[in-house]
Amino acid sequence: KGITIKKLIDIIFKIENYKNTKIIYDKSKPIMIPNRIINIKKSKEKLKFKVKTNIYTGLKKTINWYKNL
């Protein structure tokens, strides 16, 4: 399952409690970005990898870690 850049930004805004924040896109730039979705099937099969953290929790931990550098 993939996630869009807009969805990531929405999650970050929620974590940081940003309200009424507007994203301004530069319309002079190309808008088509190819989809790139990582497939972890081989990691699950060969390395017994298991996802332990959802995207919201992972971003929240990363933001808190970065703030405490």
Side-chain angles (χ1 to χ4, degrees):
K1 180 178 165 184
I3 188 165
T4 65
I5 298 296
K6 183 180 181 329
K7 181 66 177 169
L8 285 173
I9 292 169
D10 289 343
I11 293 169
I12 292 168
F13 283 1
K14 185 175 181 179
I15 290 168
E16 289 297 296
N17 203 27
Y18 293 161
K19 297 187 191 295
N20 301 320
T21 303
K22 184 177 179 182
I23 299 169
I24 300 172
Y25 295 96
D26 185 347
K27 294 182 182 186
S28 70
K29 306 293 183 208
I31 59 169
M32 181 57 203
I33 300 172
N35 289 337
R36 292 198 168 89
I37 300 173
I38 297 172
N39 185 338
I40 61 170
K41 182 180 176 183
K42 284 185 182 179
S43 296
K44 287 180 175 181
E45 291 171 359
K46 298 193 183 271
L47 303 174
K48 307 297 182 216
F49 174 79
K50 293 180 183 176
V51 176
K52 295 179 182 178
T53 305
N54 64 39
I55 192 71
Y56 182 89
T57 303
L59 280 172
K60 188 169 185 164
K61 286 180 177 181
T62 301
I63 290 167
N64 287 334
W65 169 81
Y66 186 78
K67 286 180 173 181
N68 291 309
L69 283 179

